[in-house]
Amino acid sequence: MAPPRAPRPTSADDLLNRLGLLTAQARERAEFQQARVELAEALQRRMLPAALPNVPGLRTAARYAPARHGLDIGGDWYDGFPLPGGALGFSLGDVQGHDVEAAAFMGQVRIGLRAVAASAADPGEVLSRANDLLLSVDCDLFATCSFLRFDPGSWALESARAGHVPAVWATVDGEYGISLDAGGVPLGMLAGAVYPVTRRRLTKAGAFVLLTDGVVEGPTFPIDEGLDRVARVVREGAGAEPGELAAAVMEVADSTGHADDAAVLVLCHDATGGPPQEAPTGPCG
């Protein structure tokens, strides 16, 4: 039996033509991916509020930063809006997944929270009703979230969280900590989920900070270390303007080498100005 014939040598022109074709295909895929990233980032920023509400004694600010390498954009949000009766509602969260689909779902979650908050009794009911609403649209994505309700009449801050990173707080006299309040499952995962509410009365001036995991967690940076670093930043900046404090907290994200979006929402508050009515149920009293 004769040995198999050797393959015919490929000419230099053939190799160059094949290389040019592969290069063109790679460029086309890269341009398509870049277009999706740019669309996701534009959609993301367009859906974030242009301004946050303030009332006498409460000053607010927020910051958002896309993923460091521009691949995991879409899904983080912050929001603030007035509620019936003069209270203010604030939300911050993170949609599972990235790209255009996550950015679009983020918009649905944010608007859904606004819609149910207008008639809900407290942040726990806001999250519970928003959870059922998201399940009704039959989407595969889910979202972690924290929701706050501030009442300027009683100087009370109510909070609930759905599988989200804990908040960080500090007072101007040097007290600070991480609010490991009880929470529920992320939104869009389990029908009938319950979300406990934590109530605080802000008897001391200070700051209350919500953030997403992109601020405190990186590829080789554990979330506990990130939270501790943010807590120290908030302690040092509890008396600063909210924009300055939000920027300082966001610098922690830069140090983690975050591969995800990052968002921060800061509430800087004065003291109640009167004698405490009840013992506070949280560390901000």
Side-chain angles (χ1 to χ4, degrees), residues 66-131:
R68 175 176 293 271
H69 300 296
L71 297 177
D72 292 339
I73 292 173
D76 284 19
W77 83 88
Y78 59 82
D79 199 9
F81 49 92
L83 293 169
L88 300 178
F90 298 94
S91 70
L92 180 139
D94 183 4
V95 171
Q96 168 264 334
H98 304 286
D99 210 338
V100 178
E101 184 180 11
F105 185 67
M106 176 272 287
Q108 292 179 309
V109 177
R110 178 174 164 248
I111 297 303
L113 287 166
R114 281 192 174 221
V116 301
S119 58
D122 57 45
E125 185 179 345
V126 172
L127 294 183
S128 180
R129 291 172 59 180
N131 175 65

Side-chain angles (χ1 to χ4, degrees), residues 55-59 150 155 202-206 268-273:
V55 294
L58 181 74
R59 302 165 303 284
F150 175 73
W155 221 245
L202 306 177
T203 58
K204 296 181 181 179
C268 290
H269 56 85
D270 296 338
T272 55

Side-chain angles (χ1 to χ4, degrees), residues 28-279:
E28 183 178 354
R29 288 193 294 269
E31 290 175 350
F32 176 73
Q33 175 62 24
Q34 182 61 29
R36 289 184 64 87
V37 168
E38 291 175 357
L39 176 59
E41 183 174 0
L43 184 61
Q44 175 88 6
R45 292 190 181 277
R46 186 69 176 175
M47 289 185 177
L48 295 176
L52 294 170
N54 293 273
V55 294
L58 181 74
R59 302 165 303 284
T60 61
R63 294 289 186 275
Y64 165 76
R68 175 176 293 271
H69 300 296
L71 297 177
D72 292 339
I73 292 173
D76 284 19
W77 83 88
Y78 59 82
D79 199 9
F81 49 92
L83 293 169
L88 300 178
F90 298 94
S91 70
L92 180 139
D94 183 4
V95 171
Q96 168 264 334
H98 304 286
D99 210 338
V100 178
E101 184 180 11
F105 185 67
M106 176 272 287
Q108 292 179 309
V109 177
R110 178 174 164 248
I111 297 303
L113 287 166
R114 281 192 174 221
V116 301
S119 58
D122 57 45
E125 185 179 345
V126 172
L127 294 183
S128 180
R129 291 172 59 180
N131 175 65
D132 292 341
L133 177 63
L134 293 176
L135 287 169
S136 71
V137 302
D138 196 23
C139 180
D140 293 334
L141 298 178
F142 61 87
T144 66
C145 175
S146 290
F147 192 91
L148 304 178
R149 183 182 184 275
F150 175 73
D151 183 351
S154 63
W155 221 245
L157 184 70
E158 297 177 324
S159 63
R161 60 189 182 116
H164 198 67
V165 180
V168 176
W169 62 273
T171 58
V172 294
D173 60 3
E175 296 183 28
Y176 73 105
I178 299 168
S179 297
L180 299 175
D181 307 327
V185 298
L187 303 178
M189 291 190 66
L190 178 67
V194 176
Y195 300 92
V197 178
T198 300
R199 293 177 174 85
R200 301 171 172 86
R201 191 163 182 268
L202 306 177
T203 58
K204 296 181 181 179
F208 197 84
V209 179
L210 300 179
L211 57 152
T212 59
D213 57 4
V215 178
V216 292
E217 187 175 30
T220 60
F221 198 91
I223 190 169
D224 290 342
E225 183 176 344
L227 282 169
D228 288 340
R229 187 173 297 185
V230 168
R232 293 194 296 270
V233 170
V234 176
R235 178 192 60 183
E236 294 172 0
E241 287 302 308
E244 296 176 3
L245 182 53
V249 171
M250 191 61 80
E251 288 180 1
V252 176
D254 295 336
S255 67
T256 67
H258 64 102
D260 198 355
D261 285 12
V264 173
L265 175 61
V266 172
L267 279 64
C268 290
H269 56 85
D270 296 338
T272 55
Q277 298 174 346
E278 297 179 359

